[in-house]
Amino acid sequence: MATDFWASSHYKRWIVDRATLKESRSDDLQYVDDPEHLDFFAIFFANVITKLGKKLNFRQRVIATAIVFFRRFYIKNSYCETDPFIVIAACCYVAGKAEESPVHIKNMVAEARLFFSQQPYGVKYFPSDNSKLAEMEFYLVADLECDLTVFHPYRTLLSICKKESSNDLQTEAGEVGVGVDDGPRYWGSGDGQLELPDDAFQLAWSIVNDTYRSDLCLLYPPHLLAITALYLAVVLHGPTRELLQQQSHSVEATPVHSSPRRSSRQSSSTSLGHAKKPSQDFVAFFAELNVSMPLVATIAQEIISLYTLWERYLEDSDLVDSAKSAFYGHTQAQPGMSHSGVSTPVENLDDAQRPHGATPTFLLQVLTRMRENRLSDMAHASSGRSVAVNKMLERTQAAG
């Protein structure tokens, strides 16, 4: 793996802008009634990859790499022209190799075929021939341009919060800046890292997991996602938030005056005493970071928008490693409250007045219609829609 994020293919070729993402979905937009359905697809397919990865006993990093491969593949391809389920299997297969957690192709095909045949997916056409997955692997690696190096926010998160030994603190993201070999890391002076309780750190870790249910991993460097996750965790974690509020009130209440002069005897006696260590100033920590805090605030808003959208995605089994419940509150559901514990006017509306959400079954129906209409347009080019066929995928589509 490249030792410097800024010199890696991840930074040079796979950090894209929103115009590129919009262009990549231009064909799919012709076949959906609501563009928001494509945002629900991002959540749906990330959940599918996560569940399949857990059945394969993948570490979280391997699952995250598979999701990134899936996102990168669909920068160059469309949902309506491909079979996302065989793409998911190929992404997991290649990610296992890239992250040194390989799975035999026979086991991959067997697990994927069994998993996708169950509800709510009900995929009966997944190929049982190992050669089909091997063929899709070559198409995937070709579209990835053989760039299998993926940097994730996890190592940065561990480094900032002192959760690793000193031998492991050589992080993977060239944080010192482009063309800079020496100097302070991106967390400023380096005179200490962020000290978070274990449950607050776990919350930040879960927020990082949740970012893979959107295109944030294609838009921003991983260390910015890690810092944003910590920024949100400090606010969302109850005890840490209370400490932050106390620090804010104490600063406002403390009068500005010169401290009284103390004798040397008083100073020595104080130094010999066991003074209580002051709590860390979270505001000062983030202010000293060598990053753009307005950009961190922008990413935080996008993560909040993701949770707002995710609240309308209805799936029977929510993932336990998600921070969505922390975002919406920890109170138990009551009449007039959502399952997330947040009382909203939406809960009191009639079914006809509720904003439209999505379920896996609904999204699969949308995907089926998209592929059928696309194939129909490809067979009858006189429909007026542009027809662009990915030749490499023709045989894989036929297998589906």
Side-chain angles (χ1 to χ4, degrees):
M1 174 178 284
T3 58
D4 185 1
F5 170 75
W6 307 109
S8 68
S9 60
H10 186 154
Y11 173 70
K12 292 182 177 180
R13 288 197 286 269
W14 296 107
I15 298 294
V16 300
D17 54 20
R18 293 197 178 277
T20 301
L21 292 179
K22 185 177 180 180
E23 177 64 24
S24 67
R25 300 275 70 81
S26 58
D27 288 339
D28 292 327
L29 286 171
Q30 301 178 51
Y31 299 97
V32 293
D33 298 329
D34 187 349
E36 198 174 53
H37 293 165
L38 300 181
D39 297 327
F40 283 118
F41 274 143
I43 299 175
F44 169 68
F45 287 125
N47 286 353
V48 174
I49 294 174
T50 300
K51 293 177 181 179
L52 178 59
K54 289 183 177 180
K55 287 190 172 294
L56 295 168
N57 296 319
F58 279 165
R59 294 175 289 114
Q60 178 58 39
R61 181 186 178 89
V62 184
I63 295 173
T65 298
I67 295 175
V68 172
F69 286 165
F70 185 83
R71 301 262 186 252
R72 291 181 179 182
F73 179 82
Y74 279 104
I75 291 178
K76 299 182 178 182
N77 298 276
S78 303
Y79 295 127
C80 61
E81 291 184 349
T82 59
D83 176 12
F85 289 98
I86 194 169
V87 175
I88 286 174
C91 288
C92 291
Y93 184 54
V94 175
K97 292 182 178 181
E99 298 294 345
E100 300 181 356
S101 300
V103 176
H104 196 282
I105 191 170
K106 290 183 178 180
N107 295 337
M108 177 63 69
V109 170
E111 287 290 346
R113 183 177 174 82
L114 175 62
F115 177 66
F116 294 146
S117 65
Q118 299 172 354
Q119 295 299 323
Y121 314 113
V123 177
K124 305 299 183 183
Y125 55 78
F126 191 88
S128 58
D129 187 356
N130 298 339
S131 63
K132 298 299 182 182
L133 180 58
E135 187 178 2
M136 185 65 229
E137 176 191 6
F138 284 106
Y139 300 152
L140 173 64
V141 173
D143 275 353
L144 295 179
E145 302 177 20
C146 297
D147 294 333
L148 304 183
T149 298
V150 180
F151 293 89
H152 295 289
Y154 300 112
R155 180 63 61 84
T156 299
L157 205 63
L158 292 167
S159 300
I160 293 180
C161 295
K162 286 185 175 180
K163 296 298 182 180
E164 288 185 321
S165 63
S166 58
N167 294 331
D168 296 330
L169 290 182
Q170 294 181 356
T171 60
E172 55 185 18
E175 314 89 330
V176 294
V178 179
V180 179
D181 296 326
D182 299 317
R185 304 171 79 87
Y186 58 76
W187 53 72
S189 64
D191 296 333
Q193 281 97 357
L194 188 62
E195 300 175 1
L196 285 180
D198 289 341
D199 49 351
F201 175 79
Q202 183 59 50
L203 176 59
W205 187 280
S206 298
I207 292 174
V208 169
N209 291 344
D210 294 343
T211 61
Y212 289 98
R213 286 160 180 81
S214 68
D215 292 322
L216 291 173
C217 58
L218 299 176
L219 294 169
Y220 301 105
H223 69 274
L224 287 178
L225 298 179
I227 292 172
T228 305
L230 291 171
Y231 175 80
L232 288 174
V234 168
V235 176
L236 295 176
H237 182 246
T240 307
R241 181 176 63 249
E242 292 175 1
L243 179 59
L244 181 63
Q245 292 172 345
Q246 291 174 5
Q247 292 175 350
S248 176
H249 293 328
S250 64
V251 170
E252 294 175 357
T254 302
V256 180
H257 56 80
S258 60
S259 58
R261 184 176 180 180
R262 298 188 301 172
S263 65
S264 59
R265 181 177 298 178
Q266 289 176 328
S267 300
S268 60
S269 62
T270 303
S271 61
L272 293 175
H274 297 283
K276 184 178 180 180
K277 182 181 178 181
S279 58
Q280 187 177 26
D281 189 344
F282 297 117
V283 175
F285 175 84
F286 284 104
E288 293 175 358
L289 291 175
N290 189 23
V291 297
S292 170
M293 289 310 296
L295 181 56
V296 170
T298 299
I299 300 173
Q301 289 295 328
E302 295 186 35
I303 295 176
I304 292 172
S305 298
L306 167 64
Y307 286 130
T308 302
L309 180 71
W310 197 352
E311 180 70 0
R312 295 166 48 210
Y313 175 71
L314 309 176
E315 191 167 357
D316 291 338
S317 57
D318 289 334
L319 302 172
V320 296
D321 58 350
S322 169
K324 186 173 67 169
S325 59
F327 174 77
Y328 283 103
H330 297 283
T331 56
Q332 295 181 349
Q334 298 175 358
M337 300 186 71
S338 67
H339 63 82
S340 60
V342 176
S343 178
T344 63
V346 173
E347 298 300 323
N348 298 322
L349 297 177
D350 296 333
D351 291 339
Q353 296 176 305
R354 292 176 184 268
H356 296 293
T359 63
T361 302
F362 171 76
L363 293 176
L364 288 169
Q365 293 172 351
V366 172
L367 178 63
T368 300
R369 288 197 301 268
M370 289 171 61
R371 297 185 65 193
E372 290 176 349
N373 292 337
R374 182 61 172 174
L375 290 174
S376 177
D377 286 345
M378 291 168 63
H380 304 87
S382 59
S383 61
R385 286 174 174 167
S386 59
V387 178
V389 182
N390 187 330
K391 297 296 183 181
M392 291 197 305
L393 293 176
E394 283 184 334
R395 286 183 292 171
T396 302
Q397 292 174 7

